Amino acid sequence: MLQIECPWCGARDQQEFQYGGEAHIVRPESPDTLTDEQWADYLFNRANSKGVHAEQWCHTAGCRRWFNVLRDTVSYAVLAVYRPGERPSGSVE
Amino acid sequence: MSTARRLERGGLIDRSRRIHFKFNGRDYSGHPGDTLASALLAQGVRLFGRSFKYHRPRGVVGAGAEEPNALVQVGEGAYRTPNLRATQVELYEGLTARTVNGWPNLAFDIGAINNRLSRLLPAGFYYKTFMWPRFAWLRYEHHIRHAAGLGHAPSLPDPDHYDKRHAHCDVFIAGAGPAGLVAALGAARAGARVMLVDEQAQLGGSLLHAPAAIGGGSGPEWVSELEAELKSCPEVTVLTRATVSGYYDHNFLVVNERRTDHVGPGQSDSRLSRERLWRVRAKQVVIATGAIERPLVFDGNDTPGVMLASAVSTYIRRYALAPGRSGAVFTNNDSGYQAALDMVSAGMDVRAVVDAREKPGASVLAAVSAHGIPVYPGSVVPAVRSGLQGLQQIELATLSPGGDDILSHKGLVDCQVLAMSGGWSPAVHLHSQSGGRPRYDEAHACFVPGPSVQAERSAGACRGSFTLSACLHEGADAGISAAAQSGWPGGYVDIPATEEIDEAPLQALWEVPAGTLSGDGVKKFLDFQNDTTAADIRLAAREGYRSIEHVKRYTALGFGTDQGKLGNINGLAILAGALGKSPGEVGTTTFRPNYTPVTFGAVAGRTLGEQFFDPVRKTAIHAWHVRRGAEFEDVGQWKRPWFYPREGEDMHAAVNRECLATRNGVGVLDASTLGKIDIRGPDAAEFLNLLYTNNWDNLQPGRCRYGFMLGEDGMVMDDGVTSCLAPGHYLMTTTTGGAAAVMAWMERWLQTEWPYLKVYLTSVTDQWSVMSVAGPDSRTVLKAAGCDLDLDTGTFPFMSMQAGQVGGIPARVSRISFSGELAFEISVDANQGLALWQAIMTAGRDYDITPYGTEAMHVLRAEKGYVIVGQDTDGSVTPVDLGMDWIVSGKKDFIGKRSLCRSDTDRPNRKQLVGLKTEDPTRVLPEGAQLVNAPQTERPVPMIGHVSSSYYSANLGRSIALALVKGGLSRMGARIFAQLMNGSVVPATICEPVFLDPENQRAKS
Amino acid sequence: MRRNRYSIFSLARNAVSYHQDWSEAWRSPDPAASYDVIVAGGGGHGLATAYYLAAEHDVGRIAVLEKGWIGGGNTGRNTTIVRSNYLWDEAAHLYEKSLQLWEGLSQELNFNVMFSQRGVMNLGHTLQDMRDIYRRSNANRLNGIDSEILTPAEIKAKVPAMNVSSEARYPVLGASFQPRGGVARHDAVAWGFARAADARGVDIIQNCEVTGIRRENGAVCGVETTRGLIGARKVAVVVAGHASVLADMAELRFPVESHPLQALVSEPLKPVLDTVIMSNAVHGYVSQSDKGELVIGAGIDAYTGYGQRGSFSIIEGNVAAIVELFPVFSRVRMLRQWGGIVDVCPDACPIISKTPVKGLYFNCGWGTGGFKATPGSGWVFAHTVAQDEPHALNAAFDLERFTTGALIDEHGAAGVAH
């Protein structure tokens, strides 16, 4: 049972949130210029990292805002939370 | 022949009251403070059950949660509860219990023949046989299933209810023995919010039966003092009869509190839940769960009368009973000697203390010898002899210096009780569940907690510290530091004085040699419930099952309801011996929740039934539909009127009537359940362009447009009509079932992908009641209902909307139509919904206005070829497949567009939506029917598509269907077949999916 | 290799010697310097792949590398449901092949995998559920797969413990029933394939984790492991939840995500449930094991997770669903819960495919429903590896489909799949 720190509301139980999968996947600017392979990579392929994973969560039962979480997918430890458009503090990125 | 008796003094039972109960149909009695096990033991009952595989007679081994044998089914009828441990069942007046195994009865069990055949039934025997003839396994299995299983599930629904509580605390303490109690005190005095949880009815743990004085008084007296102080602290919550069943990520703990079982079914206030599941988030956790004594592994160690030494002490000191007339002790450590002293105090004749060590501890040796009890150092009990009532004699033998052989047999000793102690296993369960990995402690021959992964620490016996003073010191330190780390420094505890003796070290003894070849049929049990023996472990190792997980699975070691609390450690040590490894190298199996079993009802809590399993959503007009006798359909969480049968009408007749009335006169549909999303902002049109496949730049205020939404994979996700209320202000409708998902979808794109778009979304589904008045008379009825708008087509054209009043109620009126009829959709404040509905019904009375349900709605829209997303589409259908290329803009980008031109997505011969007319116009195809070009009996039959919607159309006087057919759009007029489940074949012709008014004259009239 | 043949006679013979003379079910050899085919992953699918490679294809020396103990991943953690009543032809044919292999598996392997054809029931709770059930059952029959549609009364007759009242929150309106479906003993499947593969010369090497995939000129040439470098002409990866991790070793990106999937059992009960019950709308599935435990599962945890554990809220929802369907189970107690890691594809169908790297093959993406496919998956994967071409049964399950869009969307049929 995860506890996640919403950047706007504070620490809340996982059940208040919706998971959104891998973060920082940018929708291609001009999809029609992509090959089928490139489009498939955007559409379906995922890093699926074992270890540190950047992912999206939405505080659906609270402020309804989306944000990003760095989480270890093995220990489930939440390493950082940050708002859309931000980068995690202290991360190498 | 009663061998046991109740003591006249001592213990924590209330002799002034007597409680009557039944066990296996016979009457017994006990006292408050008794468990079922103690009350039965005190009355001479020794046989408590039969084992799972060999059906061997079994007695009580333990005194608490570790008990593997004494499983009972308590209560009758709807209150029947299977598989409770008699050692944990508190007595109440009128309790009835039966053993869970043994047929026809416990004393004479036919299944015991398995014991005679046991040579044929080694671990894993079932993998090696029952394979012939090929399909006979089900027959073998039938008998195996009936022989297996423990208690019976009730046959009636549970009359009790359960609830949950959520709690947050600074310091959570599992276990209220000496370590847990002082931890709680230290944390509480610092001011921390503390939860102290213990599985027993009373606080105190081992202090309830320990002889040691503490703080100058008895254990129970000291416990009472602490309890009083803790309960006076407002921030301290103390739970008894509450088990920490699981320790999950991020310091989330689940506690199962049993609230009424001890008073019996129907005895408590009926408002009281039977059990409560606490969901706790703790800043810091102190684990103080104590240790569990280990059995010794020798031939016949499962004989009734052979008990854990600590259980013997518990029964004597806490429950004030002598479990037999004579006793002996078999131990490999000093703690076992206490049982000898306790047996003496209970007036039992103690015949021997058998100690595997050459050098027993001096203090315990002196204490026991003072009572004249013979002590046999360097000796073991290799086997026992038993009669109908269990243990009668133990064999004595001396052990070789290496401990792996018998030197000499020393004869027999008569005794009815053998108290055994193989040392102690710290209860590392919660530590392990928290993610920690227990490590092996050679000195104590046990697994102790490894490094912490979460914010937890162990204290006392569960950490391998077995003396009372160590428990108290560690507990105090743990409580004080946990409080400090959660922001509450300054806790303190004065450790009370205790009397300690110097303990000599334990000598690991994992298995007592039998004096003959190992594996020669001698039965030394590890897992009493599953009848796993030492020979089984060695057999597994010989056969190549060498990981402890393989051995566990091959031999069923630890798979019982006690989850291996007694036997797992012995099993893994024996495996280590067989593999030439140390127990630490073999390691433990994973400790999984639950620590002890938890009632399903408690896990489910209140989330059951119509109200709470999944809340029912009803429209503002629901009560009217009910009064009108509507049948309802579940759509998402909503209850929607399905049809309104009149007296004597079946569904078919009702739907035909509703359809005819709507096409020929006027009908009205409660459309309130459709999702409604208010969209505002200067970039709203741009956003709609990205969401929908068609173009939204030019939609003027007061106009409506139909749209398709795709997933990014190009497949149809939702549809609906969106109206422009004002520049930069739109109202979107979605499907009933898709509303929440569409809202979430839109929010997500806005927030994460296009945050620069100035668009704001509000769900208004519940705020508006919506009814669709449809049919040629709808305009007249609406006027009669007092609509203040000019409804003529010239001023109020199709696909437009206006705000006005209907019968004095402010309303939005839209000319949109899902039936293909002239229709007006009226939206009003939900609080006025019922009033408007009734006003319209009144106004329409002269026109025989007919309420229609979802079934008629489906028929009417199918006559027009309008699809229902989720019925005519299934996640593999594009708008092009639906023949709706016109709605897909070629000019702009939108979500899913790129996917439409992938090689498979734009190939010809995809499944496409067509109409279907059966050759026999009265034949209505089943929805879901598979379509073929040529019926055949040979399998597989090549299928070309399926029927997605199918009805009898009363308006057309024939059946109609919509279907998805490979290349269907280019096969108009082709004859195909539905080849049905029942084998029948129905010929049909492919046609356009619009069966009625293809020019859409009626809707525009 | 000396091998006992298992039978009631060998059991009796060995009883005389107190079972001292049973031979090892499989050897524990050290890895050789190189193999013709290395199967990475010693779960049921990997062991089945090795078995069929050895039994039906002439490919030379074969090894199975397992990072822990064989059968310790999803094979030993699932709820053991076997069925083939899938909607789409491609999936139906693949799972039906597997079901047919199940029907003779104990005899083929000489190891009782306890395949128990007690039937699988998929409940319908809404009108749309019933349309989908008719569609799927009709398709199943035309594909030669057994399927029946049951009314609530017929369901009640087969499963007296179930609440089929029309007053329920989501009343049971009907069900599809596949009589040939059922359950099997999961560990036995891994052990049986291991023993039979070993008997055909396959080296099963436990505690040997693949840490790298060696390539030369775009072709695979071996694997790095915790026990050193092992050469290989072909590498067949079948590691379930860890597919992305191994794909990454060959610089491939895969359309799979790994999620926790949890399951739980009750304490053992006398027989009370004779068939397998699955429900999508009331989200759960349950059967009763031979030991008497109710074996219960539900859907995945939403988040990515390699921790072999999920969130308690999933368990709560799952148990509520089961009590909602079976009110008489309310007083029964939950004994144990656990989790595995499932790799999920966007279309709920597996990938059994060649890759852009020559000699490297992947079998993954089974999501929550891989156990039932164990023999069939091994059978087609062995063919794919041996022939360097997919079998007709798995041709549609290639990686290409995510580029072309030819997905096989089984969400409806898989649902809370297991």
Side-chain angles (χ1 to χ4, degrees):
Chain A
M1 282 298 273
L2 313 183
Q3 190 177 40
I4 299 166
E5 180 100 11
C6 169
W8 290 279
C9 306
R12 294 288 190 279
D13 189 276
Q14 167 203 333
Q15 281 176 281
E16 294 189 15
F17 299 88
Q18 181 196 339
Y19 181 67
E22 187 178 335
H24 312 310
I25 296 171
V26 179
R27 188 170 192 272
E29 198 65 35
S30 310
D32 49 352
T33 63
L34 301 185
T35 63
D36 281 359
E37 286 74 16
Q38 289 168 325
W39 180 249
D41 189 57
Y42 155 71
L43 200 53
F44 294 126
N45 290 344
R46 295 293 176 263
N48 197 26
S49 312
K50 183 178 184 182
V52 178
H53 189 238
E55 57 197 27
Q56 294 183 321
W57 289 83
C58 180
H59 193 191
T60 42
C63 62
R64 289 180 27 204
R65 286 202 250 191
W66 284 92
F67 59 96
N68 302 307
V69 174
L70 273 192
R71 188 176 58 91
D72 186 311
T73 57
V74 181
S75 73
Y76 297 174
V78 172
L79 309 171
V81 293
Y82 51 103
R83 300 177 183 195
E86 293 178 355
R87 288 282 154 188
S89 57
S91 82
V92 213
E93 275 188 294
Chain B
M1 182 187 68
S2 179
T3 56
R5 65 194 157 78
R6 185 66 84 180
L7 304 177
E8 283 166 20
R9 281 181 305 282
L12 302 176
I13 54 166
D14 176 3
R15 289 180 181 75
S16 69
R17 284 178 51 211
R18 198 163 275 281
I19 298 175
H20 302 87
F21 67 96
K22 275 188 198 298
F23 176 65
N24 284 342
R26 286 186 57 186
D27 290 314
Y28 293 91
S29 68
H31 298 291
D34 261 328
T35 63
L36 179 59
S38 69
L40 287 170
L41 279 172
Q43 286 166 92
V45 173
R46 302 197 104 189
L47 190 53
F48 275 74
R50 291 271 176 174
S51 65
F52 203 84
K53 182 171 166 188
Y54 301 131
H55 293 248
R56 284 164 70 103
R58 292 284 162 78
V60 174
V61 182
E66 74 285 358
E67 173 60 36
N69 288 337
L71 301 184
V72 293
Q73 182 160 301
V74 175
E76 304 287 345
Y79 288 103
R80 181 161 79 196
T81 310
N83 305 343
L84 299 177
R85 275 176 270 275
T87 51
Q88 292 182 301
V89 173
E90 293 179 56
L91 286 189
Y92 54 82
E93 187 64 33
L95 177 147
T96 59
R98 352 191 110 256
T99 44
V100 297
N101 258 333
W103 187 86
N105 62 55
L106 189 54
F108 175 73
D109 179 351
I110 286 187
I113 191 158
N114 285 358
N115 196 31
R116 305 265 173 210
L117 297 175
S118 63
R119 240 165 111 172
L120 280 172
L121 313 176
F125 73 95
Y126 28 76
Y127 300 122
K128 294 174 176 151
T129 184
F130 301 132
M131 286 182 269
W132 301 271
R134 186 170 148 186
F135 288 102
W137 169 243
L138 264 182
R139 238 167 294 143
Y140 293 120
E141 196 183 29
H142 176 81
H143 296 289
I144 292 170
R145 286 169 81 89
H146 280 82
L150 295 171
H152 291 268
S155 51
L156 294 168
D158 193 344
D160 282 316
H161 68 274
Y162 303 82
D163 68 3
K164 294 191 186 177
R165 278 189 69 171
H166 298 250
H168 293 261
C169 63
D170 297 310
V171 180
F172 180 95
I173 298 155
L181 280 168
V182 292
L185 194 65
R189 284 177 176 170
R193 180 170 292 175
V194 174
M195 280 186 82
L196 175 65
V197 176
D198 195 274
E199 66 177 350
Q200 299 207 48
Q202 291 159 277
L203 303 182
S206 62
L207 295 174
L208 297 174
H209 63 259
I214 177 167
S218 75
E221 285 164 2
W222 182 79
V223 171
S224 301
E225 281 172 36
L226 254 66
E227 186 173 357
E229 178 170 350
L230 287 172
K231 288 190 169 166
S232 71
C233 301
E235 292 296 340
V236 174
T237 303
V238 177
L239 299 179
T240 51
R241 299 189 178 94
T243 306
V244 185
S245 60
Y247 191 149
Y248 301 84
D249 286 295
H250 299 190
N251 262 16
F252 181 83
L253 297 111
V254 173
V255 179
N256 180 214
E257 182 189 8
R258 296 165 295 277
R259 308 177 75 206
T260 65
D261 271 7
H262 60 287
V263 294
Q267 297 301 303
S268 62
D269 183 335
S270 64
R271 288 168 301 180
L272 210 58
S273 57
R274 177 178 173 231
E275 296 182 16
R276 171 174 284 167
L277 205 75
W278 290 74
R279 307 168 92 253
V280 184
R281 190 75 74 170
K283 285 186 184 153
Q284 296 286 328
V285 172
V286 176
I287 300 172
T289 45
I292 297 166
E293 199 167 21
R294 289 205 285 268
L296 287 162
V297 180
F298 56 92
D299 187 12
N301 61 345
D302 64 328
T303 305
V306 179
M307 301 168 82
L308 295 176
S310 58
V312 170
S313 292
T314 301
Y315 286 117
I316 294 169
R317 301 186 63 90
R318 176 169 171 185
Y319 298 107
L321 68 93
R325 281 186 305 224
S326 57
V329 172
F330 178 18
T331 186
N332 67 343
N333 66 85
D334 280 3
S335 74
Y337 284 72
Q338 182 61 42
L341 300 174
D342 290 333
M343 285 192 279
V344 169
S345 77
M348 292 169 65
D349 184 4
V350 183
R351 306 264 169 79
V353 172
V354 185
D355 193 330
R357 300 172 297 175
E358 287 294 340
K359 286 191 178 156
S363 318
V364 291
L365 185 59
V368 165
S369 301
H371 290 284
I373 302 170
V375 176
Y376 300 91
S379 301
V380 292
V381 177
V384 301
R385 307 206 172 166
S386 60
L388 282 175
Q389 284 299 312
L391 185 67
Q392 289 181 328
Q393 290 176 316
I394 58 172
E395 290 182 18
L396 263 184
T398 49
L399 197 59
S400 69
D404 47 14
D405 209 352
I406 297 294
L407 276 187
S408 62
H409 290 271
K410 304 269 273 299
L412 300 167
V413 176
D414 289 347
C415 62
Q416 294 173 334
V417 173
L418 178 63
M420 60 179 167
S421 179
W424 293 82
S425 302
V428 294
H429 304 67
L430 294 179
H431 166 74
S432 175
Q433 288 177 24
S434 79
R437 282 173 187 263
R439 67 175 174 83
Y440 188 67
D441 177 341
E442 287 284 349
H444 293 97
C446 63
F447 283 88
V448 296
S452 295
V453 173
Q454 300 199 41
E456 58 89 24
R457 76 262 299 136
S458 297
C462 70
R463 189 168 168 262
S465 306
F466 298 122
T467 66
L468 181 54
S469 71
C471 288
L472 293 169
H473 280 100
E474 286 183 14
D477 289 349
I480 291 165
S481 69
Q485 284 179 36
S486 63
W488 299 94
Y492 61 95
V493 178
D494 305 313
I495 305 290
T498 54
E499 300 161 7
E500 299 285 355
I501 54 164
D502 295 329
E503 280 205 11
L506 150 157
Q507 174 183 318
L509 178 64
W510 301 114
E511 181 179 2
V512 178
T516 48
L517 271 176
S518 59
D520 60 356
V522 164
K523 284 208 170 46
K524 305 183 219 177
F525 287 93
L526 301 169
D527 183 323
F528 295 105
Q529 200 178 94
N530 285 328
D531 282 341
T532 308
T533 66
D536 289 332
I537 302 293
R538 275 189 290 274
L539 172 64
R542 263 200 309 284
E543 292 195 87
Y545 301 90
R546 287 177 191 152
S547 156
I548 184 65
E549 292 284 355
H550 278 158
V551 172
K552 164 185 155 188
R553 288 152 182 269
Y554 193 63
T555 65
L557 174 74
F559 269 114
T561 60
D562 56 312
Q563 303 235 61
K565 289 186 178 65
L566 294 184
N568 272 10
I569 174 88
N570 289 328
L572 79 85
I574 288 169
L575 175 65
L579 300 177
K581 294 180 172 177
S582 78
E585 287 172 300
V586 167
T588 64
T589 54
T590 312
F591 292 86
R592 304 183 190 286
N594 302 324
Y595 177 68
T596 54
V598 178
T599 307
F600 278 148
V603 180
R606 302 292 294 266
T607 56
L608 295 171
E610 200 192 28
Q611 298 216 314
F612 300 118
F613 179 66
D614 194 16
V616 172
R617 295 175 79 182
K618 297 171 179 172
T619 73
I621 308 159
H622 186 85
W624 190 95
H625 304 315
V626 172
R627 280 201 303 281
R628 186 67 172 230
E631 295 284 336
F632 289 88
E633 175 189 5
D634 285 309
V635 185
Q637 293 171 313
W638 291 94
K639 293 282 180 194
R640 296 198 71 180
W642 187 15
F643 56 95
Y644 300 80
R646 286 184 183 164
E647 185 84 24
E649 273 185 344
D650 63 5
M651 174 175 168
H652 187 64
V655 171
N656 284 350
R657 173 177 52 70
E658 290 171 18
C659 287
L660 287 168
T662 304
R663 286 259 184 261
N664 298 320
V666 58
V668 57
L669 173 83
D670 183 354
S672 306
T673 63
L674 289 181
K676 295 173 275 293
I677 300 169
D678 187 275
I679 305 171
R680 290 181 203 231
D683 298 324
E686 188 181 343
F687 184 50
L688 290 173
N689 273 334
L690 286 161
L691 285 176
Y692 278 130
T693 58
N694 48 353
N695 198 311
W696 293 78
D697 290 331
N698 54 2
L699 188 71
Q700 298 303 311
R703 304 295 300 195
C704 318
R705 183 167 290 169
Y706 176 75
F708 259 137
M709 233 177 253
L710 311 186
E712 193 73 295
D713 63 356
M715 303 302 150
V716 173
M717 189 182 100
D718 207 83
D719 70 343
V721 170
T722 291
S723 308
C724 182
L725 301 174
H729 187 190
Y730 297 82
L731 182 71
M732 173 187 283
T733 57
T734 73
T735 59
T736 296
V742 169
M743 177 77 185
W745 171 253
M746 290 165 63
E747 272 290 355
R748 184 169 181 188
W749 283 108
L750 273 180
Q751 291 185 32
T752 65
E753 200 66 41
W754 302 309
Y756 50 83
L757 290 181
K758 286 199 168 60
V759 181
Y760 307 94
L761 308 175
T762 312
S763 168
V764 293
T765 303
D766 291 313
Q767 278 67 26
W768 295 89
S769 273
V770 182
M771 52 218 79
S772 179
V773 184
D777 292 333
S778 58
R779 184 179 279 127
T780 318
V781 168
L782 205 52
K783 278 181 187 152
C787 179
D788 65 355
L789 298 168
D790 179 353
L791 300 177
D792 289 344
T793 294
T795 50
F796 201 159
F798 185 55
M799 296 305 274
S800 68
M801 66 92 59
Q802 297 187 36
Q805 292 202 339
V806 181
I809 300 170
R812 286 178 185 157
V813 181
S814 306
R815 263 200 74 181
I816 56 178
S817 176
F818 195 44
S819 58
E821 283 306 313
L822 170 68
F824 296 88
E825 197 174 275
I826 309 161
S827 303
V828 298
D829 181 336
N831 292 312
Q832 309 266 36
L834 184 57
L836 179 71
W837 179 274
Q838 285 168 331
I840 285 174
M841 291 307 296
T842 306
R845 192 174 294 150
D846 293 344
Y847 303 89
D848 195 19
I849 189 167
T850 301
Y852 66 98
T854 52
E855 189 65 19
M857 175 190 84
H858 280 205
V859 179
L860 295 169
R861 63 88 201 178
E863 289 169 352
K864 290 287 298 171
Y866 296 150
V867 298
I868 289 185
V869 172
Q871 177 171 342
D872 301 299
T873 69
D874 62 4
S876 68
V877 178
T878 70
V880 182
D881 298 335
L882 295 172
M884 296 173 73
D885 325 42
W886 54 267
I887 207 169
V888 180
S889 166
K891 298 190 184 116
K892 55 149 197 173
D893 187 26
F894 55 85
I895 295 167
K897 184 180 189 184
R898 176 64 184 81
S899 288
L900 295 178
C901 56
R902 294 173 300 176
S903 63
D904 188 78
T905 321
D906 74 349
R907 74 178 152 82
N909 208 35
R910 282 176 63 85
K911 287 182 184 168
Q912 294 155 343
L913 186 85
V914 294
L916 216 52
K917 286 181 182 166
T918 50
E919 290 184 359
D920 172 358
T922 64
R923 184 78 187 250
V924 181
L925 290 167
E927 287 171 335
Q930 293 292 334
L931 302 169
V932 301
N933 279 327
Q936 63 181 52
T937 49
E938 193 193 331
R939 300 289 186 269
V941 187
M943 288 167 264
I944 58 167
H946 78 282
V947 173
S948 58
S949 295
S950 176
Y951 311 95
Y952 181 76
S953 164
N955 287 301
L956 298 166
R958 62 155 300 128
S959 70
I960 57 169
L962 299 176
L964 286 155
V965 177
K966 272 181 196 160
L969 287 173
S970 54
R971 296 188 63 192
M972 290 300 147
R975 185 170 191 251
I976 61 171
F977 303 87
Q979 189 167 349
L980 304 182
M981 276 289 281
N982 60 12
S984 65
V985 170
V986 184
T989 305
I990 295 177
C991 61
E992 292 293 338
V994 185
F995 295 91
L996 185 131
D997 184 23
E999 291 78 33
N1000 221 14
Q1001 300 287 338
R1002 301 169 77 104
K1004 292 176 181 166
S1005 65
Chain C
M1 251 165 283
R2 192 181 66 89
R3 274 289 178 289
N4 301 115
R5 188 171 162 73
Y6 292 162
S7 71
I8 185 70
F9 306 109
S10 67
L11 204 55
R13 211 162 41 242
N14 274 281
V16 176
S17 59
Y18 294 100
H19 304 285
Q20 292 293 311
D21 300 327
W22 289 108
S23 53
E24 285 183 323
W26 55 85
R27 298 161 296 129
S28 297
D30 287 323
S34 74
Y35 291 91
D36 294 294
V37 179
I38 283 178
V39 178
H45 288 230
L47 293 164
T49 303
Y51 169 76
Y52 290 112
L53 276 170
E56 302 197 0
H57 303 275
D58 184 18
V59 293
R61 296 209 61 197
I62 304 162
V64 176
L65 308 186
E66 166 54 48
K67 74 171 172 176
W69 38 283
I70 59 168
N74 295 340
T75 299
R77 293 163 189 270
N78 73 91
T79 51
T80 81
I81 298 172
V82 177
R83 61 189 177 92
S84 66
N85 57 351
Y86 278 69
L87 171 65
W88 300 102
D89 294 346
E90 296 87 345
H93 293 150
L94 176 64
Y95 288 103
E96 176 60 19
K97 169 69 186 176
S98 192
L99 181 50
Q100 288 171 8
L101 290 171
W102 275 110
E103 287 176 324
L105 199 58
S106 293
Q107 291 72 31
E108 163 135 22
L109 301 179
N110 181 232
F111 201 102
N112 189 355
V113 299
M114 303 182 198
F115 178 45
S116 171
Q117 293 180 289
R118 46 191 59 259
V120 173
M121 208 180 271
N122 296 78
L123 302 178
H125 299 270
T126 65
L127 298 177
Q128 186 58 39
D129 280 354
M130 294 312 297
R131 290 180 196 110
D132 292 338
I133 281 174
Y134 192 95
R135 179 185 176 193
R136 180 165 47 75
S137 294
N138 196 167
N140 289 158
R141 285 230 180 149
L142 298 191
N143 272 323
I145 295 167
D146 57 320
S147 183
E148 298 166 14
I149 294 179
L150 306 180
T151 64
E154 290 166 332
I155 294 168
K156 186 74 181 170
K158 277 188 192 294
V159 191
M162 196 192 301
N163 176 19
V164 298
S165 156
S166 59
E167 303 302 307
R169 173 65 184 92
Y170 291 112
V172 174
L173 304 183
S176 70
F177 185 60
Q178 184 178 24
R180 286 165 61 241
V183 291
R185 173 85 181 104
H186 51 10
D187 295 324
V189 178
W191 300 340
F193 272 118
R195 176 168 166 271
D198 177 90
R200 284 163 181 76
V202 174
D203 282 356
I204 295 166
I205 302 161
Q206 302 184 76
N207 300 307
C208 180
E209 180 174 0
V210 173
T211 54
I213 296 173
R214 285 273 180 104
R215 286 149 291 150
E216 259 172 22
N217 305 322
V220 87
C221 61
V223 293
E224 293 154 25
T225 77
T226 48
R227 295 176 69 174
L229 179 68
I230 308 175
R233 289 196 305 117
K234 292 180 175 181
V235 174
V237 180
V238 48
V239 295
H242 280 76
S244 295
V245 176
L246 271 85
D248 194 47
M249 293 175 192
E251 290 162 46
L252 300 172
R253 269 165 64 80
F254 266 29
V256 295
E257 288 188 292
S258 298
H259 292 271
L261 177 67
Q262 304 183 72
L264 60 106
V265 292
S266 75
E267 295 185 298
L269 302 169
K270 290 294 178 210
V272 63
L273 181 61
D274 217 25
T275 187
V276 182
I277 307 296
M278 308 176 66
S279 166
N280 284 3
V282 183
H283 222 59
Y285 42 95
V286 55
S287 65
Q288 188 174 19
S289 73
D290 287 346
K291 195 157 186 257
E293 297 159 330
L294 299 172
V295 183
I296 292 170
I300 57 172
D301 281 76
Y303 51 81
T304 304
Y306 286 88
Q308 292 193 324
R309 61 190 194 282
S311 294
F312 186 66
S313 49
I314 299 284
I315 298 283
E316 290 173 294
N318 190 186
V319 169
I322 296 303
V323 176
E324 180 74 8
L325 274 178
F326 294 93
V328 298
F329 291 166
S330 171
R331 292 176 95 83
V332 174
R333 301 191 299 173
M334 171 168 114
L335 178 59
R336 187 171 60 242
Q337 62 181 80
W338 64 91
I341 316 164
V342 297
D343 51 329
V344 178
C345 270
D347 56 355
C349 274
I351 296 164
I352 315 166
S353 182
K354 298 168 69 171
T355 68
V357 179
K358 188 168 165 42
L360 180 64
Y361 309 85
F362 264 78
N363 181 345
C364 63
W366 290 92
T368 57
F371 178 73
K372 68 175 79 68
T374 305
S377 160
W379 194 85
V380 297
F381 197 39
H383 178 102
T384 307
V385 173
Q387 310 297 325
D388 196 35
E389 274 307 320
H391 188 272
L393 285 172
N394 66 307
F397 297 91
D398 61 356
L399 270 169
E400 266 298 285
R401 73 180 190 268
F402 298 98
T403 303
T404 63
L407 272 58
I408 307 153
D409 201 319
E410 275 291 345
H411 284 292
V416 278
H418 44 41

